[in-house]
């Protein structure tokens, strides 16, 4: 049980990092398109390639560091991590697809810029949850993994 709780705390911290990724990968794409002129298709391709490369590197590093079984367990026990991963991928891919479709509605892009900022700030939720989980674990008498 203590091992599962430690994994849940780690997965929650990872969710906080995951939700910052769209801001850095496609936030500038949305911001430049907010004036009504989305960038060229080549400009939209770079963040998508960045998302793919970052995903491959991150998954490889996590699997190497913790082992593939731990990654599967973390995804299984942490709904927060699954939800944040899915939402982050949807934001990145959606932003790129809107750019490729040459959507020029300023309201769509302004809403997408706001979504990027809100999702970036949403990283605080997993941090708060992880802190509470760690405190609960400390009160139960388990030794902290740090």
């Amino acid at each position: 049980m203590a091992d599962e709780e430690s994994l849940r705390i780690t997965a929650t911290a990872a969710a906080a990092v995951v939700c910052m990724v769209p801001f850095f990968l496609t936030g500038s794409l949305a911001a430049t398109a907010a004036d009504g002129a989305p960038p060229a298709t080549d400009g939209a391709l770079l963040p998508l390639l960045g998302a793919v490369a970052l995903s491959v590197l991150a998954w490889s590093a996590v699997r190497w560091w913790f082992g593939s079984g731990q990654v599967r367990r973390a995804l299984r026990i942490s709904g927060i991590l699954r939800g944040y991963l899915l939402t982050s991928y949807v934001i990145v891919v959606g932003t790129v697809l809107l750019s490729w479709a040459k959507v020029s509605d300023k309201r769509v892009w302004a809403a997408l810029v706001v979504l990027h900022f809100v999702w970036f700030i949403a990283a605080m939720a997993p941090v708060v949850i992880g802190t509470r989980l760690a405190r609960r674990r400390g009160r139960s008498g388990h030794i902290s993994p740090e």
Side-chain angles (χ1 to χ4, degrees), residues 20-94:
M20 295 179 191
V21 170
F23 182 80
F24 293 114
L25 285 179
T26 56
S28 63
L29 177 68
T32 57
D35 67 359
T41 304
D42 296 342
L45 184 61
L46 192 58
L48 188 59
L49 291 175
V52 171
L54 188 62
S55 294
V56 169
L57 287 173
W59 286 114
S60 298
V62 169
R63 286 177 58 115
W64 173 78
W65 189 265
F66 295 109
S68 62
Q70 293 292 69
V71 174
R72 280 190 290 261
R73 283 185 59 219
L75 288 170
R76 185 174 35 83
I77 68 171
S78 179
I80 293 170
L81 180 59
R82 287 191 311 268
Y84 273 58
L85 276 169
L86 177 64
T87 304
S88 292
Y89 279 125
V90 167
I91 292 171
V92 169
V93 172

